């Protein structure tokens, strides 16, 4: 006779199963989401202070020997601003924009046309702009002009989807560049616009044009942090402030009705429209916000470089902006900032790195590389089916890396000249392309993929369901 009464020991093993393991990124994200808003600020503010001090005390491993580190970090901050704006369009709303560089160019040329002595529309020479504060006045104008251009472009084109939208936006970016190149009476054509205005802040006897001027090289021996900062560091600080402001705005939008509509459009536009979401309106909002942020970054570029011409706004730059979003993780704001760091920093860091130091070393490295490549091919051929997922991915990644490295080494030793081989910084387009190919195979969602979570009252619900409590047997397990 069997006893139908079940004891707690007879509970199926599934109830006592260990929770699934998570990676380091998931653990950090869980810890961060569990913090209250003041606690998050308490952790984030010291990190921001350390990032702000980075150009003043560059770590030896991060320093860029071939470039001023402050200028490199300023470019990183500017690319981060671009990536955040493009992420609104591509990552959150799911609109494939290949011509984002057009908005970047419009913002830069708005500042250049209003402040450059080479422009017929210059307003700083007896016009309504004072040279001292001309750039600061042009910044909101550039944002407004690019936002309007986003509306003008988006109104007729956002009814398209997928590849068709990508082709139209690609054409838009090229049209802006060609207009800047051919309207020589207004834009000075390929000669560009020089003498673009910049903020005249902190003028003194030692810095007659202010801290944002190219003449401010900083004093590395000064104990005063503000005196140590070069003009690149000041631009980095200014761009950091704008990045934080834009992150707060975009984050609030993401948690609002607008953000929920973007997610619905990205996942399935037809289903979103059937459920009553005005998809065209919210796609236009995404285009407008992305264009405005792109124009802001273009204005920063024009003020920092003080010279613009059409070659700085080609389609290659647009692809680099998109690479930052794809590599970092579409839809993840902090992820795309890391992608922007890779895109802007890595070529500058590798500019002083040579692939081989002499010809004999090159041949030795080439022989080792060929042996490793052949070994990986043999492993893939004879043991590939028995490998688990990650070893298979590692084998694929190793074959791609060693194959490309072998081609580079072969070219370096065959074309080796006195003074060294090819600089790795000049090959940025190649290894960014390889990175995209490898990521599409191994991690198509990006380095830091976005995690879907509750958007409305998300923090309160998350903390409620994560609150620890006693485990209680239910149902037949009682």
């Amino acid at each position: 006779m069997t006893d139908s009464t079940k004891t707690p020991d007879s509970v199926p093993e599934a109830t006592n199963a260990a929770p699934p393991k998570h990676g380091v990124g998931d653990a950090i994200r869980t810890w961060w989401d569990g913090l209250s808003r003041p606690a998050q600020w308490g952790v984030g503010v010291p990190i921001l202070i350390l990032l702000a001090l980075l150009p003043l005390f560059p770590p030896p491993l991060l320093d860029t020997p071939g470039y001023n580190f402050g200028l490199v970090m300023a470019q990183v901050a500017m690319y981060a601003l671009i990536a955040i704006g493009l992420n609104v369009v591509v990552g959150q709303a799911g609109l494939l924009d290949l011509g984002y560089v057009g908005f970047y160019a419009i913002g830069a040329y708005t500042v250049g046309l209003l402040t450059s002595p080479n422009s017929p529309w210059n307003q700083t020479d007896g016009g309504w702009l004072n040279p001292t504060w001309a750039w600061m006045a042009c910044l909101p104008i550039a944002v407004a002009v690019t936002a309007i251009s986003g509306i003008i472009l988006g109104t007729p084109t956002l009814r398209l989807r997928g590849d068709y939208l990508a082709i139209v936006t690609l054409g838009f970016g090229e049209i802006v560049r060609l207009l800047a190149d051919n309207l020589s009476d207004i834009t000075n054509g390929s000669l560009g616009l020089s003498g673009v205005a910049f903020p005249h802040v902190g003028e003194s006897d030692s810095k007659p044009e202010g801290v944002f001027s190219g003449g401010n090289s900083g004093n590395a021996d000064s104990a005063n942090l503000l005196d140590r900062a070069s003009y690149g560091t000041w631009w980095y600080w200014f761009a950091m402030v704008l990045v934080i402001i834009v992150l707060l705005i975009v984050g609030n939008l993401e948690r609002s009705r607008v953000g929920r509509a973007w997610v619905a459009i990205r996942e399935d536009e037809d289903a979103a429209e059937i459920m009553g979401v005005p998809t065209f309106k919210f796609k236009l909002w995404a285009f407008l916000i992305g264009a405005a942020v792109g124009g802001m970054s273009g204005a920063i570029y024009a003020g920092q470089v003080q010279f613009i011409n059409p070659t700085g706004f080609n389609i290659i730059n647009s692809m680099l902006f998109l690479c930052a979003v794809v590599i970092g993780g579409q839809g993840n704001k902090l992820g795309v900032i890391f992608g922007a760091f890779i895109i802007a920093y890595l070529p500058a860091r590798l500019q002083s790195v040579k692939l081989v130091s002499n010809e004999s070393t090159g041949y030795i490295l080439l022989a080792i590389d060929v042996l490793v490549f052949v070994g990986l091919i043999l492993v893939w051929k004879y043991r590939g089916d028995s490998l688990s997922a990650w070893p298979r991915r590692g084998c694929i990644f190793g074959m791609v890396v060693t194959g490309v490295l072998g081609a580079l080494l072969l070219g370096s030793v065959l074309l080796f000249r006195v003074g060294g081989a090819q600089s790795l910084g000049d090959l940025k387009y190649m290894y960014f392309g390889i990175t995209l190919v490898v990521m599409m195979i191994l991690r198509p969602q990006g380095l830091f993929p976005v995690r879907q979570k509750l958007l409305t009252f998300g923090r309160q619900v998350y903390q409620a369901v994560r609150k620890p409590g006693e485990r209680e047997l239910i149902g037949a397990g009682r």
Side-chain angles (χ1 to χ4, degrees), residues 30-85:
T30 302
W31 168 78
W32 178 261
D33 290 338
L35 296 176
S36 63
R37 185 70 66 184
Q40 287 184 347
W41 278 104
V43 175
V45 169
I47 294 176
L48 292 176
I49 294 175
L50 291 176
L51 290 177
L53 294 176
L54 199 59
L56 300 180
F57 307 97
L61 294 178
L62 283 179
D63 199 6
T64 51
Y67 292 93
N68 180 285
F69 188 68
L71 283 176
V72 173
M73 293 306 296
Q75 187 178 23
V76 168
M78 186 181 67
Y79 270 54
L81 198 60
I82 295 170
I84 295 170

Short mmCIF file of all heavy atoms in Angstrom, two decimals, residues 30-85:
data_model
loop_
_atom_site.label_atom_id
_atom_site.label_comp_id
_atom_site.label_asym_id
_atom_site.label_seq_id
_atom_site.Cartn_x
_atom_site.Cartn_y
_atom_site.Cartn_z
N THR A 30 22.58 43.89 -12.13
CA THR A 30 21.64 43.58 -11.06
C THR A 30 21.92 44.40 -9.82
O THR A 30 21.01 44.93 -9.16
CB THR A 30 21.69 42.08 -10.73
OG1 THR A 30 21.39 41.32 -11.91
CG2 THR A 30 20.70 41.71 -9.64
N TRP A 31 23.22 44.51 -9.48
CA TRP A 31 23.59 45.32 -8.31
C TRP A 31 23.21 46.78 -8.52
O TRP A 31 22.68 47.43 -7.62
CB TRP A 31 25.09 45.19 -8.07
CG TRP A 31 25.63 46.19 -7.10
CD1 TRP A 31 25.54 46.15 -5.74
CD2 TRP A 31 26.35 47.39 -7.42
NE1 TRP A 31 26.14 47.25 -5.20
CE2 TRP A 31 26.65 48.03 -6.20
CE3 TRP A 31 26.77 47.98 -8.61
CZ2 TRP A 31 27.36 49.23 -6.15
CZ3 TRP A 31 27.47 49.17 -8.56
CH2 TRP A 31 27.75 49.78 -7.34
N TRP A 32 23.45 47.30 -9.71
CA TRP A 32 23.15 48.71 -10.00
C TRP A 32 21.65 48.97 -9.97
O TRP A 32 21.20 49.96 -9.40
CB TRP A 32 23.74 49.09 -11.35
CG TRP A 32 23.46 50.50 -11.78
CD1 TRP A 32 22.49 50.92 -12.64
CD2 TRP A 32 24.14 51.68 -11.35
NE1 TRP A 32 22.53 52.28 -12.78
CE2 TRP A 32 23.53 52.78 -12.00
CE3 TRP A 32 25.20 51.91 -10.49
CZ2 TRP A 32 23.97 54.08 -11.81
CZ3 TRP A 32 25.64 53.22 -10.30
CH2 TRP A 32 25.02 54.28 -10.96
N ASP A 33 20.86 48.07 -10.57
CA ASP A 33 19.41 48.26 -10.59
C ASP A 33 18.80 48.15 -9.20
O ASP A 33 17.73 48.69 -8.94
CB ASP A 33 18.75 47.23 -11.52
CG ASP A 33 19.05 47.50 -12.99
OD1 ASP A 33 19.40 48.66 -13.32
OD2 ASP A 33 18.98 46.57 -13.80
N GLY A 34 19.49 47.44 -8.30
CA GLY A 34 18.97 47.32 -6.95
C GLY A 34 19.22 48.53 -6.08
O GLY A 34 18.65 48.64 -4.99
N LEU A 35 20.07 49.46 -6.53
CA LEU A 35 20.35 50.66 -5.76
C LEU A 35 19.24 51.69 -5.93
O LEU A 35 18.60 51.75 -6.99
CB LEU A 35 21.68 51.29 -6.20
CG LEU A 35 22.96 50.47 -5.98
CD1 LEU A 35 24.16 51.20 -6.56
CD2 LEU A 35 23.17 50.20 -4.51
N SER A 36 19.03 52.48 -4.91
CA SER A 36 18.09 53.59 -5.02
C SER A 36 18.71 54.69 -5.88
O SER A 36 19.91 54.69 -6.15
CB SER A 36 17.75 54.14 -3.64
OG SER A 36 18.91 54.67 -3.02
N ARG A 37 17.89 55.64 -6.29
CA ARG A 37 18.40 56.71 -7.13
C ARG A 37 19.49 57.53 -6.44
O ARG A 37 20.55 57.80 -7.04
CB ARG A 37 17.24 57.62 -7.57
CG ARG A 37 17.63 58.70 -8.54
CD ARG A 37 17.97 58.15 -9.89
NE ARG A 37 16.82 57.56 -10.55
CZ ARG A 37 16.88 56.93 -11.72
NH1 ARG A 37 18.02 56.80 -12.34
NH2 ARG A 37 15.79 56.40 -12.24
N PRO A 38 19.35 57.94 -5.16
CA PRO A 38 20.45 58.66 -4.50
C PRO A 38 21.72 57.82 -4.41
O PRO A 38 22.84 58.35 -4.54
CB PRO A 38 19.88 58.98 -3.12
CG PRO A 38 18.40 58.98 -3.30
CD PRO A 38 18.13 57.93 -4.32
N ALA A 39 21.57 56.51 -4.17
CA ALA A 39 22.75 55.66 -4.09
C ALA A 39 23.46 55.56 -5.44
O ALA A 39 24.70 55.52 -5.51
CB ALA A 39 22.35 54.27 -3.60
N GLN A 40 22.68 55.53 -6.51
CA GLN A 40 23.30 55.51 -7.83
C GLN A 40 24.10 56.78 -8.09
O GLN A 40 25.20 56.75 -8.64
CB GLN A 40 22.22 55.33 -8.91
CG GLN A 40 21.65 53.93 -8.97
CD GLN A 40 20.65 53.76 -10.10
OE1 GLN A 40 20.19 54.75 -10.70
NE2 GLN A 40 20.30 52.53 -10.41
N TRP A 41 23.54 57.93 -7.68
CA TRP A 41 24.29 59.18 -7.83
C TRP A 41 25.53 59.17 -6.94
O TRP A 41 26.59 59.69 -7.32
CB TRP A 41 23.41 60.38 -7.49
CG TRP A 41 22.52 60.79 -8.62
CD1 TRP A 41 21.19 60.55 -8.75
CD2 TRP A 41 22.91 61.51 -9.79
NE1 TRP A 41 20.72 61.07 -9.93
CE2 TRP A 41 21.75 61.67 -10.60
CE3 TRP A 41 24.11 62.02 -10.25
CZ2 TRP A 41 21.77 62.34 -11.82
CZ3 TRP A 41 24.15 62.68 -11.47
CH2 TRP A 41 22.98 62.83 -12.23
N GLY A 42 25.41 58.58 -5.75
CA GLY A 42 26.57 58.51 -4.86
C GLY A 42 27.70 57.69 -5.43
O GLY A 42 28.88 57.95 -5.16
N VAL A 43 27.37 56.67 -6.23
CA VAL A 43 28.40 55.87 -6.89
C VAL A 43 28.87 56.54 -8.18
O VAL A 43 30.06 56.52 -8.51
CB VAL A 43 27.86 54.45 -7.18
CG1 VAL A 43 28.87 53.65 -7.99
CG2 VAL A 43 27.54 53.74 -5.88
N GLY A 44 27.92 57.15 -8.91
CA GLY A 44 28.26 57.70 -10.22
C GLY A 44 29.09 58.97 -10.17
O GLY A 44 29.97 59.16 -11.01
N VAL A 45 28.84 59.83 -9.19
CA VAL A 45 29.56 61.11 -9.14
C VAL A 45 31.06 60.92 -8.96
O VAL A 45 31.86 61.54 -9.67
CB VAL A 45 28.96 62.01 -8.04
CG1 VAL A 45 29.85 63.23 -7.79
CG2 VAL A 45 27.56 62.47 -8.44
N PRO A 46 31.53 60.07 -8.02
CA PRO A 46 32.99 59.85 -7.94
C PRO A 46 33.59 59.29 -9.23
O PRO A 46 34.72 59.64 -9.60
CB PRO A 46 33.14 58.85 -6.78
CG PRO A 46 31.91 59.06 -5.95
CD PRO A 46 30.83 59.39 -6.92
N ILE A 47 32.83 58.43 -9.92
CA ILE A 47 33.34 57.89 -11.19
C ILE A 47 33.48 59.01 -12.22
O ILE A 47 34.47 59.08 -12.96
CB ILE A 47 32.40 56.78 -11.70
CG1 ILE A 47 32.43 55.58 -10.75
CG2 ILE A 47 32.80 56.33 -13.11
CD1 ILE A 47 31.46 54.48 -11.11
N LEU A 48 32.50 59.91 -12.27
CA LEU A 48 32.57 61.04 -13.20
C LEU A 48 33.75 61.95 -12.86
O LEU A 48 34.42 62.47 -13.77
CB LEU A 48 31.26 61.83 -13.16
CG LEU A 48 30.02 61.12 -13.72
CD1 LEU A 48 28.79 61.97 -13.52
CD2 LEU A 48 30.21 60.81 -15.20
N ILE A 49 34.02 62.15 -11.57
CA ILE A 49 35.16 62.98 -11.17
C ILE A 49 36.47 62.34 -11.63
O ILE A 49 37.37 63.02 -12.15
CB ILE A 49 35.15 63.20 -9.65
CG1 ILE A 49 33.93 64.05 -9.25
CG2 ILE A 49 36.44 63.88 -9.19
CD1 ILE A 49 33.76 64.21 -7.76
N LEU A 50 36.58 61.02 -11.46
CA LEU A 50 37.78 60.33 -11.92
C LEU A 50 37.95 60.44 -13.43
O LEU A 50 39.06 60.63 -13.93
CB LEU A 50 37.74 58.87 -11.50
CG LEU A 50 37.87 58.59 -9.99
CD1 LEU A 50 37.71 57.09 -9.72
CD2 LEU A 50 39.21 59.08 -9.47
N LEU A 51 36.85 60.31 -14.16
CA LEU A 51 36.91 60.46 -15.62
C LEU A 51 37.31 61.88 -16.01
O LEU A 51 38.05 62.08 -16.99
CB LEU A 51 35.56 60.11 -16.24
CG LEU A 51 35.15 58.63 -16.21
CD1 LEU A 51 33.76 58.45 -16.78
CD2 LEU A 51 36.15 57.80 -17.00
N ALA A 52 36.84 62.87 -15.27
CA ALA A 52 37.20 64.26 -15.57
C ALA A 52 38.68 64.52 -15.32
O ALA A 52 39.30 65.33 -16.03
CB ALA A 52 36.34 65.21 -14.73
N LEU A 53 39.27 63.84 -14.33
CA LEU A 53 40.68 64.04 -14.01
C LEU A 53 41.61 63.22 -14.91
O LEU A 53 42.83 63.39 -14.86
CB LEU A 53 40.95 63.67 -12.55
CG LEU A 53 40.27 64.56 -11.50
CD1 LEU A 53 40.55 64.01 -10.10
CD2 LEU A 53 40.73 66.01 -11.61
N LEU A 54 41.04 62.35 -15.72
CA LEU A 54 41.85 61.44 -16.54
C LEU A 54 42.83 62.18 -17.46
O LEU A 54 44.01 61.80 -17.54
CB LEU A 54 40.94 60.52 -17.34
CG LEU A 54 41.55 59.23 -17.89
CD1 LEU A 54 42.10 58.37 -16.77
CD2 LEU A 54 40.50 58.46 -18.69
N PRO A 55 42.42 63.24 -18.19
CA PRO A 55 43.40 63.92 -19.07
C PRO A 55 44.51 64.63 -18.31
O PRO A 55 45.58 64.86 -18.88
CB PRO A 55 42.53 64.92 -19.84
CG PRO A 55 41.13 64.46 -19.69
CD PRO A 55 41.07 63.79 -18.37
N LEU A 56 44.26 65.00 -17.06
CA LEU A 56 45.29 65.70 -16.29
C LEU A 56 46.36 64.75 -15.79
O LEU A 56 47.52 65.14 -15.63
CB LEU A 56 44.64 66.43 -15.11
CG LEU A 56 43.58 67.48 -15.46
CD1 LEU A 56 43.04 68.11 -14.19
CD2 LEU A 56 44.17 68.54 -16.38
N PHE A 57 45.98 63.50 -15.52
CA PHE A 57 46.91 62.49 -15.03
C PHE A 57 46.73 61.22 -15.85
O PHE A 57 46.18 60.23 -15.36
CB PHE A 57 46.66 62.21 -13.53
CG PHE A 57 46.66 63.45 -12.68
CD1 PHE A 57 45.45 64.05 -12.32
CD2 PHE A 57 47.84 64.02 -12.25
CE1 PHE A 57 45.43 65.19 -11.54
CE2 PHE A 57 47.83 65.16 -11.46
CZ PHE A 57 46.63 65.74 -11.11
N PRO A 58 47.15 61.24 -17.11
CA PRO A 58 46.92 60.08 -17.98
C PRO A 58 47.68 58.86 -17.51
O PRO A 58 48.89 58.93 -17.27
CB PRO A 58 47.43 60.56 -19.36
CG PRO A 58 48.37 61.67 -19.05
CD PRO A 58 47.86 62.32 -17.81
N PRO A 59 47.00 57.72 -17.32
CA PRO A 59 47.70 56.49 -16.94
C PRO A 59 48.67 56.06 -18.04
O PRO A 59 48.42 56.29 -19.23
CB PRO A 59 46.56 55.47 -16.78
CG PRO A 59 45.33 56.30 -16.63
CD PRO A 59 45.56 57.54 -17.41
N PRO A 60 49.80 55.46 -17.66
CA PRO A 60 50.81 55.08 -18.68
C PRO A 60 50.26 54.16 -19.76
O PRO A 60 50.62 54.29 -20.93
CB PRO A 60 51.89 54.39 -17.85
CG PRO A 60 51.74 54.93 -16.47
CD PRO A 60 50.26 55.19 -16.29
N LEU A 61 49.38 53.24 -19.39
CA LEU A 61 48.87 52.30 -20.38
C LEU A 61 47.84 52.94 -21.30
O LEU A 61 47.64 52.48 -22.43
CB LEU A 61 48.26 51.08 -19.69
CG LEU A 61 49.22 50.20 -18.90
CD1 LEU A 61 48.47 49.06 -18.23
CD2 LEU A 61 50.31 49.65 -19.81
N LEU A 62 47.16 53.99 -20.84
CA LEU A 62 46.13 54.65 -21.65
C LEU A 62 46.66 55.84 -22.43
O LEU A 62 46.02 56.28 -23.38
CB LEU A 62 44.98 55.11 -20.76
CG LEU A 62 43.98 54.06 -20.28
CD1 LEU A 62 42.92 54.70 -19.40
CD2 LEU A 62 43.32 53.35 -21.45
N ASP A 63 47.79 56.36 -22.04
CA ASP A 63 48.32 57.56 -22.69
C ASP A 63 48.60 57.29 -24.16
O ASP A 63 48.93 56.17 -24.56
CB ASP A 63 49.60 58.00 -21.98
CG ASP A 63 49.93 59.46 -22.29
OD1 ASP A 63 49.11 60.12 -22.95
OD2 ASP A 63 51.00 59.92 -21.88
N THR A 64 48.45 58.34 -24.97
CA THR A 64 48.67 58.24 -26.42
C THR A 64 49.95 58.98 -26.78
O THR A 64 49.97 60.21 -26.85
CB THR A 64 47.48 58.84 -27.18
OG1 THR A 64 47.22 60.16 -26.66
CG2 THR A 64 46.24 58.00 -27.00
N PRO A 65 51.05 58.26 -27.04
CA PRO A 65 52.33 58.91 -27.30
C PRO A 65 52.33 59.82 -28.52
O PRO A 65 53.02 60.84 -28.55
CB PRO A 65 53.30 57.73 -27.48
CG PRO A 65 52.63 56.57 -26.83
CD PRO A 65 51.17 56.79 -27.00
N GLY A 66 51.56 59.46 -29.54
CA GLY A 66 51.58 60.25 -30.77
C GLY A 66 50.66 61.44 -30.77
O GLY A 66 50.73 62.27 -31.69
N TYR A 67 49.76 61.55 -29.79
CA TYR A 67 48.77 62.63 -29.77
C TYR A 67 48.66 63.19 -28.35
O TYR A 67 48.98 62.52 -27.37
CB TYR A 67 47.39 62.12 -30.21
CG TYR A 67 47.30 61.74 -31.67
CD1 TYR A 67 47.53 60.43 -32.07
CD2 TYR A 67 47.01 62.69 -32.64
CE1 TYR A 67 47.44 60.07 -33.41
CE2 TYR A 67 46.92 62.34 -33.98
CZ TYR A 67 47.14 61.04 -34.34
OH TYR A 67 47.07 60.68 -35.67
N ASN A 68 48.17 64.43 -28.28
CA ASN A 68 47.85 65.01 -26.99
C ASN A 68 46.67 64.25 -26.39
O ASN A 68 45.61 64.15 -27.00
CB ASN A 68 47.51 66.50 -27.15
CG ASN A 68 47.18 67.17 -25.84
OD1 ASN A 68 46.09 66.98 -25.30
ND2 ASN A 68 48.10 67.95 -25.33
N PHE A 69 46.85 63.73 -25.17
CA PHE A 69 45.82 62.87 -24.58
C PHE A 69 44.53 63.65 -24.32
O PHE A 69 43.43 63.11 -24.43
CB PHE A 69 46.34 62.26 -23.28
CG PHE A 69 45.43 61.22 -22.69
CD1 PHE A 69 45.23 60.02 -23.33
CD2 PHE A 69 44.78 61.45 -21.49
CE1 PHE A 69 44.38 59.06 -22.79
CE2 PHE A 69 43.93 60.51 -20.94
CZ PHE A 69 43.74 59.30 -21.60
N GLY A 70 44.66 64.93 -23.94
CA GLY A 70 43.46 65.74 -23.71
C GLY A 70 42.63 65.89 -24.98
O GLY A 70 41.40 65.81 -24.94
N LEU A 71 43.30 66.09 -26.13
CA LEU A 71 42.57 66.21 -27.40
C LEU A 71 41.90 64.88 -27.77
O LEU A 71 40.79 64.86 -28.30
CB LEU A 71 43.52 66.64 -28.51
CG LEU A 71 43.91 68.11 -28.55
CD1 LEU A 71 44.94 68.36 -29.63
CD2 LEU A 71 42.69 68.99 -28.77
N VAL A 72 42.60 63.78 -27.50
CA VAL A 72 42.01 62.46 -27.78
C VAL A 72 40.75 62.25 -26.95
O VAL A 72 39.72 61.79 -27.45
CB VAL A 72 43.04 61.35 -27.54
CG1 VAL A 72 42.39 59.97 -27.67
CG2 VAL A 72 44.20 61.47 -28.51
N MET A 73 40.81 62.61 -25.67
CA MET A 73 39.64 62.44 -24.81
C MET A 73 38.51 63.39 -25.21
O MET A 73 37.33 63.07 -25.07
CB MET A 73 40.02 62.67 -23.36
CG MET A 73 40.96 61.61 -22.80
SD MET A 73 40.35 59.93 -22.99
CE MET A 73 38.88 59.97 -21.98
N ALA A 74 38.87 64.58 -25.73
CA ALA A 74 37.84 65.49 -26.23
C ALA A 74 37.12 64.86 -27.42
O ALA A 74 35.89 64.97 -27.56
CB ALA A 74 38.46 66.83 -26.63
N GLN A 75 37.89 64.20 -28.29
CA GLN A 75 37.26 63.52 -29.43
C GLN A 75 36.41 62.35 -28.95
O GLN A 75 35.35 62.08 -29.52
CB GLN A 75 38.34 63.04 -30.40
CG GLN A 75 37.77 62.47 -31.69
CD GLN A 75 38.84 62.04 -32.66
OE1 GLN A 75 39.97 61.77 -32.26
NE2 GLN A 75 38.50 61.96 -33.93
N VAL A 76 36.86 61.65 -27.92
CA VAL A 76 36.07 60.55 -27.36
C VAL A 76 34.73 61.07 -26.86
O VAL A 76 33.67 60.47 -27.12
CB VAL A 76 36.85 59.86 -26.22
CG1 VAL A 76 35.93 58.93 -25.44
CG2 VAL A 76 38.03 59.08 -26.77
N ALA A 77 34.74 62.19 -26.12
CA ALA A 77 33.49 62.75 -25.60
C ALA A 77 32.58 63.20 -26.73
O ALA A 77 31.35 63.02 -26.65
CB ALA A 77 33.80 63.92 -24.67
N MET A 78 33.16 63.78 -27.79
CA MET A 78 32.34 64.21 -28.93
C MET A 78 31.73 63.00 -29.64
O MET A 78 30.55 63.01 -30.00
CB MET A 78 33.20 65.02 -29.89
CG MET A 78 32.43 65.63 -31.05
SD MET A 78 33.52 66.53 -32.15
CE MET A 78 34.51 65.20 -32.83
N TYR A 79 32.50 61.94 -29.82
CA TYR A 79 31.97 60.72 -30.43
C TYR A 79 30.91 60.09 -29.55
O TYR A 79 29.95 59.49 -30.05
CB TYR A 79 33.11 59.73 -30.70
CG TYR A 79 33.76 59.87 -32.05
CD1 TYR A 79 34.27 61.10 -32.46
CD2 TYR A 79 33.90 58.79 -32.91
CE1 TYR A 79 34.88 61.24 -33.69
CE2 TYR A 79 34.50 58.92 -34.15
CZ TYR A 79 34.99 60.14 -34.54
OH TYR A 79 35.58 60.29 -35.76
N ALA A 80 31.09 60.19 -28.22
CA ALA A 80 30.07 59.65 -27.32
C ALA A 80 28.75 60.38 -27.49
O ALA A 80 27.68 59.77 -27.49
CB ALA A 80 30.56 59.76 -25.87
N LEU A 81 28.82 61.70 -27.66
CA LEU A 81 27.60 62.48 -27.88
C LEU A 81 26.94 62.06 -29.19
O LEU A 81 25.71 61.90 -29.26
CB LEU A 81 27.96 63.97 -27.91
CG LEU A 81 26.84 64.98 -27.72
CD1 LEU A 81 26.16 64.80 -26.38
CD2 LEU A 81 27.39 66.40 -27.83
N ILE A 82 27.74 61.85 -30.23
CA ILE A 82 27.20 61.40 -31.51
C ILE A 82 26.55 60.03 -31.37
O ILE A 82 25.45 59.78 -31.88
CB ILE A 82 28.32 61.36 -32.57
CG1 ILE A 82 28.85 62.77 -32.85
CG2 ILE A 82 27.82 60.72 -33.86
CD1 ILE A 82 30.10 62.78 -33.70
N ALA A 83 27.23 59.12 -30.65
CA ALA A 83 26.71 57.76 -30.50
C ALA A 83 25.39 57.74 -29.74
O ALA A 83 24.48 56.96 -30.07
CB ALA A 83 27.75 56.89 -29.79
N ILE A 84 25.26 58.60 -28.74
CA ILE A 84 24.00 58.66 -27.99
C ILE A 84 22.86 59.13 -28.89
O ILE A 84 21.75 58.59 -28.87
CB ILE A 84 24.15 59.59 -26.77
CG1 ILE A 84 25.15 59.01 -25.78
CG2 ILE A 84 22.80 59.79 -26.08
CD1 ILE A 84 25.53 59.97 -24.68
N GLY A 85 23.12 60.16 -29.71
CA GLY A 85 22.09 60.63 -30.63
C GLY A 85 21.72 59.60 -31.67
O GLY A 85 20.53 59.39 -31.97
#
